[in-house]
Amino acid sequence: MINPLRGMKDLAGSDAAKFNYFLDVASSVAKRYGYSYLETPILEDTALFKRSVGESSDIVNKEMYQFTDKGGNDVCMRPEGTAGVVRYFVSNKLDRAGGKYRYYYHGPMFRYERPQKGRLREFHQFGCESFGEASVYEDYMTIELIATIFDRLGIGYTLEINSLGCSECMPGYKESLVSYLESKKELLCEDCNRRIDTNPIRVLDCKVQSCKDELGDAPKITDNLCASCNKDFAKLKELLEQNGIKYSVNKNLVRGLDYYSKTAFEFVSSEIGAQNAIAGGGRYDRLVEFLDGKPTSAVGFAIGIERVMDLITLEDNKKEGYYIGAMDEVALDRVIGVAKELKVFDKAVVEYTPRKLKAHLKAADRVDARYCLVIGENELQNGTLWIKDLVQKQEETITLEELLKRNKQ
Ligand code: HAM
């Protein structure tokens, strides 16, 4: 027997229903905020992720599904969605055209991580990326969009925000952080030691308790922001407060991807265990440039769909649509014709084997149909249909015309 690979899952039954429900809600909210759908390839040039997610990140360092294809190309299954969207933006010269562009996307992402609850090797993200808007109002609007999706799904969360500064204030801060970290070098874990040289701010995010204890009084980026980053961060907080979106500032929130500047945020759930980030994102004003485009402001986020699915409850056994069958062989062609008309406005599942009424009612129940519709010799002669509403427990005999008219209203 061949099973799915470790950290990968089939999606079926009620999980599939939750997955589609999530996508319906999230897509409709994204469209209302002016985003349009974009689909990019799962497989991309490895260089795309090295230059965007960053060579010092764990994702690029340890977790890529990377291989050489039959043509000798170094390719990679995408570990996240932002890089591909930016690649699309640049390869279509939208950076040169100017203006504002907003895209939403969803699909599978691949990271060779150690699987555990909430952490898969193939998982799905829903994300949004906005280009060409430098205003911090767009950062706020991005956060509001995510909050709206979670509110619509009835999901509770806490929101953590931080500012990572810009090319103006970050270099000076990094210098003071590095000299602080050098002084603690012996007390920090191996990963932290490696990061002091490659990406020192990631040290702030280390999960090892002894490192956390050492880093309590490390210099914080939010205390070292330039005037413009400070002003934007203050405005973001003000907008969140004005609009009733609760947040806390986490000065150690640095994110696991290297492309961020200024605003960074994460939505966290207290109900799903250790892997508790359900969405993450921020501003990435330098990334278009890193991928050979004209400097373009950008901000975005991604939601982890599997993690959010654990927080969605769907009504079980929701009866919907029609079950339709014949009592006699002669009525079968009429059943097929009626089902075609019903499918214009609702679900209609057809049973091809003629059966007695009782057997049809049982079968209708089994497929969770709201209505059981049966045609026998009598109905065929009179041009009528026999229908039972399996929720209201009422039955009637009507013509197809009447039924169609009722469903048009
Ligand atoms: P990220 O924080 O790496 O950001 O991933 C976003 C979300 O994907 C996480 O908050 C989590 O819910 C989910 N996720 C990540 N890894 C796994 C995993 N192994 N198993 C299950 N779920 C996972 C990004 O990927 C950025 N591209 C977000 C972004 C978009 N920033 C700007 N625009």
Side-chain angles (χ1 to χ4, degrees):
M1 188 172 58
I2 299 174
N3 288 314
L5 297 175
R6 197 160 167 248
M8 306 202 176
K9 276 203 220 164
D10 298 311
L11 193 61
S14 64
D15 277 347
K18 276 189 199 176
F19 186 86
N20 284 328
Y21 173 63
F22 169 81
L23 283 182
D24 283 350
V25 171
S27 307
S28 87
V29 172
K31 280 184 222 157
R32 289 192 183 184
Y33 278 76
Y35 285 78
S36 47
Y37 185 68
L38 178 69
E39 176 101 23
T40 63
I42 288 171
L43 211 56
E44 298 265 10
D45 195 323
T46 299
L48 174 65
F49 302 109
K50 287 196 172 163
R51 280 165 63 185
S52 55
V53 176
E55 302 224 38
S56 69
S57 68
D58 282 350
I59 297 177
V60 167
N61 249 306
K62 309 182 192 161
E63 299 169 0
M64 300 246 273
Y65 277 87
Q66 182 184 355
F67 59 95
T68 306
D69 72 8
K70 290 191 170 64
N73 306 299
D74 182 2
V75 296
C76 183
M77 313 260 280
R78 64 182 179 194
E80 59 103 54
T82 310
V85 177
V86 176
R87 201 259 318 121
Y88 161 83
F89 183 76
V90 176
S91 45
N92 285 279
K93 302 191 173 55
L94 301 174
D95 53 328
R96 279 157 215 283
K100 286 166 197 162
Y101 301 85
R102 294 189 179 93
Y103 303 105
Y104 76 92
Y105 57 90
H106 49 79
M109 309 292 158
F110 301 83
R111 296 184 192 175
Y112 198 83
E113 295 194 79
R114 197 170 44 78
Q116 64 178 82
K117 183 174 161 21
R119 196 206 270 152
L120 293 156
R121 287 182 175 168
E122 184 192 23
F123 59 99
H124 295 77
Q125 286 185 344
F126 175 92
C128 285
E129 313 294 350
S130 160
F131 297 96
E133 185 53 86
S135 165
V136 69
Y137 280 85
E138 188 72 345
D139 306 33
Y140 164 74
M141 204 58 82
T142 305
I143 293 176
E144 187 194 283
L145 194 172
I146 309 168
T148 305
I149 293 174
F150 290 151
D151 288 348
R152 284 251 226 124
L153 294 167
I155 289 175
Y157 58 81
T158 53
L159 165 64
E160 296 181 355
I161 61 168
N162 196 17
S163 175
L164 300 177
C166 63
S167 46
E168 184 99 340
C169 46
M170 193 47 138
Y173 166 71
K174 262 191 189 158
E175 258 174 50
S176 58
L177 179 65
V178 168
S179 62
Y180 173 88
L181 296 175
E182 293 284 358
S183 72
K184 302 262 178 186
K185 222 171 159 88
E186 266 93 85
L187 304 163
L188 300 175
C189 73
E190 208 179 297
D191 269 348
C192 283
N193 266 290
R194 185 173 45 81
R195 283 176 179 145
I196 294 176
D197 301 322
T198 55
N199 191 1
I201 61 163
R202 283 285 284 151
V203 174
L204 297 174
D205 186 37
C206 183
K207 302 286 183 283
V208 176
Q209 192 55 47
S210 53
C211 293
K212 278 187 183 174
D213 295 342
E214 284 309 317
L215 295 169
D217 54 355
K220 302 287 189 272
I221 177 73
T222 31
D223 302 329
N224 293 275
L225 295 174
C226 63
S228 144
C229 286
N230 234 334
K231 190 168 150 243
D232 279 354
F233 195 44
K235 186 72 198 173
L236 176 65
K237 290 187 275 186
E238 189 187 310
L239 286 167
L240 291 169
E241 277 152 35
Q242 273 169 11
N243 291 285
I245 300 178
K246 291 202 182 71
Y247 69 89
S248 60
V249 174
N250 176 354
K251 293 185 177 188
N252 291 332
L253 177 72
V254 295
R255 310 272 304 124
L257 308 96
D258 292 355
Y259 48 62
Y260 294 106
S261 53
K262 294 192 168 184
T263 306
F265 56 81
E266 268 177 16
F267 284 70
V268 173
S269 163
S270 57
E271 294 168 46
I272 50 171
Q275 300 305 314
N276 58 4
I278 49 176
R283 187 162 272 286
Y284 52 94
D285 290 343
R286 309 279 315 279
L287 184 53
V288 174
E289 220 177 319
F290 292 163
L291 296 175
D292 304 325
K294 230 174 112 184
T296 306
S297 305
V299 55
F301 73 88
I303 295 176
I305 304 183
E306 282 82 0
R307 292 189 191 170
V308 165
M309 274 164 58
D310 284 347
L311 298 163
I312 297 175
T313 35
L314 283 188
E315 233 176 85
D316 273 347
N317 261 342
K318 209 171 143 244
K319 291 190 179 299
E320 58 167 10
Y322 290 81
Y323 165 98
I324 167 161
M327 281 174 62
D328 309 283
E329 191 83 40
V330 283
L332 202 52
D333 288 359
R334 170 100 175 118
V335 159
I336 302 289
V338 169
K340 186 163 182 268
E341 301 274 353
L342 297 179
K343 280 182 207 136
V344 173
F345 61 87
D346 210 341
K347 178 171 137 180
V349 181
V350 181
E351 170 57 58
Y352 305 132
T353 312
R355 286 177 173 166
K356 295 220 162 65
L357 192 58
K358 218 169 147 190
H360 278 313
L361 283 166
K362 257 200 192 153
D365 236 13
R366 245 179 283 145
V367 296
D368 281 330
R370 166 84 195 254
Y371 302 99
C372 177
L373 196 156
V374 177
I375 304 175
E377 242 175 300
N378 277 351
E379 286 79 20
L380 197 61
Q381 267 168 18
N382 304 336
T384 55
L385 313 165
W386 181 89
I387 299 181
K388 181 163 182 180
D389 181 335
L390 300 172
V391 173
Q392 306 275 352
K393 311 274 181 232
Q394 278 166 2
E395 45 184 272
E396 62 178 333
T397 303
I398 63 169
T399 63
L400 178 62
E401 290 66 37
E402 274 176 273
L403 185 62
L404 295 178
K405 215 158 93 195
R406 197 184 287 169
N407 281 287
K408 259 197 198 135
Q409 288 157 7

